[in-house]
């Protein structure tokens, strides 16, 4: 089975149609079974997608206190429609985290060929402390897979080294995972946490106390770098970094870990590269 995670930086300077076409091609070519997106955004002023269409598109509505509707320009919605055109039938979910630039809802998305159930979306800081307009307002989007192990797949987007409260936020994230039963089932965290594995050793090691980094565990791997250029918000210090991860507590062997959409082997479609891992099950057979 192959998994992928990407901060897609959608609706912000990259051609949306090209992003979607390149992404769909990669999913088809690599036979990706599960993937997560961060910064899966939507314009706030576009019309809402109807309940009937969402149901037809196998949208799984997350359980959460607030409900920001899926709108026509939603990146995850447009991607699901494109996947349907090539006969790929994913289950998917999306939640909004905060307002972006006064015009967009910035969100998280999960896609899986295995049915998703018990999908939840939770704020990682008390809403009364940080409002919807604050970009520090982060969430966790999690769902259970309808497989024999009842695996849990999770995505989030954290500040990491951009803030001084990563350990506190990671603790909140970990407690939420415990509530969802992460210690009792195979759990996969597909995330952009903005903690560099080489430069921010303390944050990285803290993050890896409960999970193994699949990049480290992989039998075959590339350089793992998901940032190869400067990010505007980080100034000139950001050159090459590994800040996007797939973490797990599962015992399955990690066959490989590599990046794509890095501008080398595949087209660059975001300011981040994606991480792809291949997992082997305990019987030694790869999932279809």
């Amino acid at each position: 089975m192959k998994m992928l995670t990407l901060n897609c930086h959608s609706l912000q300077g990259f051609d949306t149609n090209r992003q979607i076409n390149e992404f769909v091609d990669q999913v088809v070519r690599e036979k990706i079974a599960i993937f997560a997106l961060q910064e899966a955004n939507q314009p706030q002023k576009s019309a809402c997608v109807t309940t009937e269409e969402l149901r037809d598109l196998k949208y799984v509505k997350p359980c959460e206190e607030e409900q920001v509707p899926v709108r026509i320009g939603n990146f995850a919605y447009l991607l699901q429609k494109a996947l349907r055109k090539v006969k790929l039938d994913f289950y998917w979910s999306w939640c909004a985290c905060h307002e972006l630039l006064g015009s967009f809802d910035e969100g998280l998305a999960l896609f899986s060929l295995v049915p998703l159930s018990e999908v939840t979306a939770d704020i990682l800081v008390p809403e009364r402390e940080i409002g919807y307009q604050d970009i520090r307002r982060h969430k966790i989007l999690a769902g259970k897979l309808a497989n024999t192990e009842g695996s849990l797949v999770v995505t989030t987007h954290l500040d990491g080294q951009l803030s001084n409260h990563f350990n506190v936020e990671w603790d909140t994230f970990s407690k939420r995972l415990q509530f969802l039963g992460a210690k009792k089932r195979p759990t996969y965290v597909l995330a952009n946490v903005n903690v560099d594995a080489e430069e921010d050793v303390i944050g990285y090691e803290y993050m890896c106390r409960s999970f193994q980094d699949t990049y480290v565990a992989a039998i075959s791997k590339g350089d793992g770098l998901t940032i190869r250029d400067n990010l505007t918000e980080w100034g000139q210090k950001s050159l090459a970094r590994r800040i996007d991860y797939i973490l797990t507590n599962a015992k399955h062997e990690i066959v490989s870990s590599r990046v794509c959409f890095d501008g080398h082997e595949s087209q660059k479609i975001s300011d981040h590269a994606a991480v792809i891992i291949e997992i082997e099950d305990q019987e030694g057979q790869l999932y279809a």
Side-chain angles (χ1 to χ4, degrees):
M1 178 175 68
K2 289 184 180 180
M3 294 185 178
L4 179 152
T5 186
L6 172 66
N7 180 327
C8 56
H9 200 64
S10 61
L11 311 184
Q12 297 182 74
F14 289 87
D15 181 86
T16 300
N17 289 333
R18 189 174 74 84
Q19 279 183 302
I20 289 174
N21 291 337
E22 292 287 345
F23 195 93
V24 170
D25 285 349
Q26 191 77 12
V27 170
V28 171
R29 184 165 54 249
E30 296 284 349
K31 297 182 180 179
I32 304 296
I34 295 167
F35 65 88
L37 302 174
Q38 304 85 44
E39 296 190 27
N41 305 328
Q42 70 174 12
Q44 291 180 331
K45 293 184 179 180
S46 58
C48 296
V49 182
T50 66
T51 302
E52 292 75 16
E53 183 176 9
L54 288 174
R55 186 185 302 115
D56 179 66
L57 288 173
K58 290 193 173 180
Y59 175 71
V60 183
K61 188 176 182 179
C63 178
E64 57 179 331
E65 292 184 6
E66 62 182 14
Q67 289 290 339
V68 175
V70 177
R71 298 185 180 276
I72 296 296
N74 185 292
F75 184 81
Y77 160 75
L78 296 174
L79 178 58
Q80 174 69 347
K81 291 178 67 176
L83 289 166
R84 276 288 182 90
K85 289 181 179 179
V86 294
K87 310 301 182 184
L88 286 175
D89 203 16
F90 279 88
Y91 296 82
W92 65 290
S93 189
W94 177 87
C95 72
C97 300
H98 56 253
E99 186 175 276
L100 181 67
L101 304 174
S103 302
F104 301 95
D105 296 310
E106 181 177 300
L108 302 168
L110 284 172
F111 286 72
S112 173
L113 289 175
V114 180
L116 283 169
S117 65
E118 299 180 46
V119 178
T120 61
D122 293 283
I123 303 168
L124 293 179
V125 291
E127 189 173 6
R128 63 182 179 274
E129 295 181 9
I130 297 182
Y132 188 70
Q133 291 73 31
D134 196 317
I135 62 172
R136 297 173 300 168
R137 188 176 184 273
H138 301 132
K139 278 190 175 182
I140 171 177
L141 180 64
K144 291 181 182 178
L145 299 179
N147 59 12
T148 56
E149 298 174 306
S151 301
L152 187 68
V153 290
V154 182
T155 187
T156 193
H157 182 195
L158 305 180
D159 280 340
Q161 60 197 20
L162 301 179
S163 69
N164 57 8
H165 66 281
F166 173 72
N167 287 14
V168 174
E169 193 168 43
W170 186 261
D171 284 343
T172 305
F173 176 75
S174 298
K175 288 177 182 177
R176 183 58 192 165
L177 288 183
Q178 290 177 29
F179 178 80
L180 294 172
K183 286 188 175 182
K184 300 177 182 179
R185 65 186 72 249
T187 299
Y188 298 90
V189 177
L190 302 88
N192 168 213
V193 299
N194 285 312
V195 165
D196 181 63
E198 298 295 331
E199 189 168 297
D200 190 353
V201 177
I202 294 175
Y204 174 74
E205 291 181 348
Y206 194 78
M207 181 179 69
C208 292
R209 287 182 181 180
S210 302
F211 296 96
Q212 72 169 343
D213 180 356
T214 57
Y215 173 79
V216 173
I219 297 171
S220 173
K221 55 194 161 191
D223 60 22
L225 298 174
T226 57
I227 297 295
R228 297 173 184 269
D229 303 301
N230 289 335
L231 287 178
T232 303
E233 62 267 31
W234 287 5
Q236 294 301 310
K237 67 177 183 177
S238 167
L239 292 176
R241 293 170 182 261
R242 188 164 72 87
I243 62 174
D244 301 82
Y245 300 92
I246 299 179
L247 309 170
T248 189
N249 62 2
K251 303 303 181 183
H252 302 305
E253 186 172 71
I254 311 300
V255 178
S256 63
S257 175
R258 59 190 178 83
V259 299
C260 65
F261 306 130
D262 59 348
H264 296 284
E265 292 187 8
S266 54
Q267 292 290 322
K268 189 172 183 178
I269 62 171
S270 173
D271 55 357
H272 290 241
V275 177
I276 298 178
I277 67 167
E278 185 171 5
I279 304 165
E280 193 171 38
D281 69 18
Q282 292 174 329
E283 287 73 39
Q285 299 295 321
L286 297 181
Y287 289 94

